Amino acid sequence: MKFGGTSVGKPERMHQVKDLITRDNQKKIVVLSALSGTTNALVGIGEALADADKELAKKRIDLLHAHYLIFYKDLLKSDSARKKAEKIIAEHFEFLNIILKISFNEAINRDILAQGELLSTKLFYTLLQELDIPAVFLPALDFMSIDENHEPELKKISEKVKSILKNYPEESIFVTQGYICKNHRNEVDNLKRGGSDYSASLIGAAINAEVVEIWTDIDGMHNNDPRIVDQTRPIAQLSFDEAAELAYFGAKILHPASIWPAQQYNIPVKLLNTMEPDAIGTTITAKEQGTGVKALAAKDGITAIKIKSSRMLLAYGFLRKVFEVFEKYKTSIDMITTSEVAVSVTIDDLSHLKEIIRELEAYGSVEVDQNQTIISIVGNLIAESKGSVAQIMNCLTDYPVRMVSYGGSRHNVSLLVDAQYKNAALQSLNSGLFEW
Ligand code: ASP
Ligand code: MG
């Protein structure tokens, strides 16, 4: 059971989490994020230190500290629990204040970022102790690890976590941190922003859990972006492939990497709402159900690159050469469309755009369009349903579409539009593809 930042962000919410994990006696690992806002604040502290602005860093540390000094008093009642919390908070903020005095580097920055989950889990554990709820504190740094390519070491994680759990055959609640891990240098590291979902899914896979529950503040994955279109509804069931597509292309509720461990070990993932615990939410399993469009998601900040060359005509090996350029600069490609004399691809990481363009120019003329948005239309058997593509295109008669990718899988049609058309296109698709 993983609870996100907003689910632990207020003392009363933490109490709700306590209620949710004690609703039954099943054995569970509880994975917590940092309190909402904390990781952002820690990023800010790191940035100030990177700029050698110690005054600003100190201000930010004090501001965050003040937040915790109010939080624990509302969370805990007894003197002894409050004393414990005071000690925990003092320890972590002392650490941040010591960092002010030493020279800053990337490893220290990652130590800073880890403070959020350490604080949230320790405070939550203190609450359980205060209420005499038996539980085990399971430090993620004892078992979560990534290799030199930043990939989680699932086999090692599994061995370690299982051997720790063996020591507690009678206990049923284990509390651990999302997001944080050790890297191959044995330093504190993390699974990138939003990585607590990934932690939960890795742990689920590591222990072969019955289910991975991701508890957030919305009732499951919705069929469109509620911030943009006038109405949306939660989707009850998705396949792993559909969910991965949606998570990657913009549905903020789930970290996209968290699908593969669950998929590989065939563990259902449920997206549930802490505020409405009995709502059905979204269940993600291997099963492919229904036909037709289930949901839309959009991803901004996309750049399209077109490489046009008459040498592509009747040639083989051209695409390989093009892709090798992206591989060399570790830049992943999202969409691809081809014609006989040109190929268009999209990327979202612009760190090596200049070098990539320079190298591609050896193979043909290169055109770049920035500020594009991928709209991903996801569902089951879209490619096999009669008329589905016509229906999608009919919704887009008022907007130029730069690329269309269709047939790559049975679950998806992707469109590329200029960012200025995104909202209108999402709304038009929302009205045209779903029955309201
Ligand atoms: N606390 C981390 C973040 O804000 C990890 C997470 O919440 O998933 O990115
Ligand atoms: Mg999240």
Side-chain angles (χ1 to χ4, degrees):
M1 298 176 82
K2 177 262 171 178
F3 295 88
T6 48
S7 300
V8 292
K10 291 195 173 134
E12 64 270 24
R13 297 266 161 79
M14 261 201 189
H15 278 264
Q16 269 174 298
V17 171
K18 176 265 300 170
D19 292 339
L20 286 170
I21 66 167
T22 49
R23 287 209 292 190
D24 58 48
N25 296 323
Q26 278 180 293
K27 220 174 167 82
K28 56 190 61 98
I29 297 186
V30 178
V31 180
L32 301 185
S33 289
L35 315 195
S36 51
T38 294
T39 309
N40 286 345
L42 294 168
V43 168
I45 293 165
E47 282 170 353
L49 287 170
D51 291 346
D53 191 342
K54 295 205 169 172
E55 213 175 299
L56 181 61
K58 175 70 181 147
K59 241 194 227 155
R60 289 178 173 167
I61 293 171
D62 290 346
L63 199 68
L64 188 64
H65 195 175
H67 181 67
Y68 280 85
L69 292 177
I70 296 168
F71 187 92
Y72 88 92
K73 283 190 191 137
D74 291 331
L75 180 71
L76 305 160
K77 292 205 176 55
S78 69
D79 280 345
S80 67
R82 284 184 172 185
K83 280 238 161 60
K84 271 187 210 160
E86 277 161 20
K87 242 180 100 188
I88 291 163
I89 294 167
E91 180 200 325
H92 288 278
F93 282 91
E94 241 162 60
F95 173 78
L96 290 173
N97 280 303
I98 287 169
I99 281 176
L100 279 179
K101 300 194 186 97
I102 59 182
S103 68
F104 179 80
N105 60 42
E106 261 319 300
I108 288 178
N109 195 31
R110 292 191 295 263
D111 261 318
I112 296 175
L113 294 176
Q115 302 307 305
E117 272 70 12
L118 292 169
L119 277 161
S120 67
T121 48
K122 288 184 188 179
L123 292 173
F124 182 70
Y125 187 66
T126 308
L127 172 67
L128 297 182
Q129 287 178 313
E130 174 175 51
L131 301 172
D132 279 327
I133 298 168
V136 179
F137 190 77
L138 206 63
L141 299 179
D142 289 351
F143 63 87
M144 267 300 203
S145 59
I146 52 176
D147 64 18
E148 57 273 26
N149 297 317
H150 262 262
E151 291 299 324
E153 303 175 303
L154 190 47
K155 218 175 140 235
K156 269 197 205 164
I157 295 168
S158 176
E159 280 160 16
K160 283 191 186 160
V161 87
K162 279 182 187 156
S163 86
I164 301 172
L165 291 179
K166 260 201 206 120
N167 301 328
Y168 306 97
E170 304 295 324
E171 309 286 341
S172 62
I173 298 175
F174 297 83
V175 178
T176 192
Q177 299 87 23
Y179 180 59
I180 64 173
C181 61
K182 285 278 186 78
N183 64 25
H184 68 291
R185 288 187 293 266
N186 205 32
E187 299 159 345
V188 174
D189 211 316
N190 60 65
L191 300 177
K192 310 262 166 72
R193 295 305 307 272
S196 291
D197 297 339
Y198 198 12
S199 302
S201 158
L202 288 164
I203 294 170
I207 60 168
N208 211 350
E210 215 168 281
V211 58
V212 172
E213 295 181 352
I214 307 281
W215 291 82
T216 63
D217 54 359
I218 177 166
D219 46 354
M221 212 180 259
H222 277 231
N223 63 340
N224 204 333
D225 190 332
R227 292 162 304 182
I228 295 173
V229 301
D230 55 9
Q231 47 183 346
T232 65
R233 58 173 171 251
I235 319 161
Q237 189 279 335
L238 285 169
S239 69
F240 286 122
D241 288 340
E242 290 164 346
E245 207 95 51
L246 288 172
Y248 184 71
F249 287 114
K252 290 278 177 305
I253 182 172
L254 187 67
H255 190 287
S258 47
I259 298 292
W260 76 258
Q263 183 164 26
Q264 194 168 322
Y265 290 81
N266 203 11
I267 298 166
V269 176
K270 286 190 171 186
L271 309 178
L272 297 160
N273 187 351
T274 315
M275 262 65 94
E276 250 185 87
D278 296 316
I280 58 163
T282 300
T283 301
I284 305 165
T285 62
K287 213 149 91 210
E288 293 174 354
Q289 272 177 20
T291 40
V293 176
K294 286 188 189 169
L296 312 173
K299 188 169 167 164
D300 297 321
I302 303 293
T303 295
I305 304 172
K306 186 194 292 163
I307 307 107
K308 191 163 174 266
S309 166
S310 47
R311 266 181 289 164
M312 187 171 159
L313 199 70
L314 300 172
Y316 53 83
F318 180 80
L319 289 176
R320 180 177 56 79
K321 286 185 202 137
V322 166
F323 289 147
E324 267 171 2
V325 175
F326 292 90
E327 186 182 357
K328 178 169 168 194
Y329 293 101
K330 296 192 169 157
T331 300
S332 85
I333 294 172
D334 285 329
M335 268 177 88
I336 311 162
T337 55
T338 62
S339 81
E340 188 49 39
V341 291
V343 52
S344 276
V345 303
T346 70
I347 59 172
D348 65 350
D349 174 0
L350 301 184
S351 356
H352 298 289
L353 184 61
K354 269 207 194 99
E355 296 95 308
I356 289 172
I357 294 173
R358 200 188 49 229
E359 296 208 16
L360 289 174
E361 278 170 342
Y363 305 121
S365 68
V366 178
E367 258 174 60
V368 176
D369 294 311
Q370 296 201 334
N371 274 323
Q372 306 286 307
T373 295
I374 293 178
I375 296 180
S376 179
I377 299 156
V378 169
N380 194 25
L381 300 174
I382 293 184
E384 276 130 79
S385 328
K386 237 198 280 178
S388 60
V389 175
Q391 204 187 357
I392 291 167
M393 289 310 172
N394 266 335
C395 302
L396 297 167
T397 47
D398 290 340
Y399 319 104
V401 178
R402 164 77 173 76
M403 283 167 70
V404 180
S405 176
Y406 165 65
S409 85
R410 304 149 84 196
H411 309 292
N412 163 270
V413 178
S414 293
L415 310 164
L416 189 73
V417 297
D418 192 287
Q420 61 176 310
Y421 303 117
K422 168 189 164 184
N423 290 4
L426 277 179
Q427 180 61 57
S428 171
L429 287 162
N430 203 52
S431 318
L433 298 180
F434 302 117
E435 276 169 31
W436 295 103

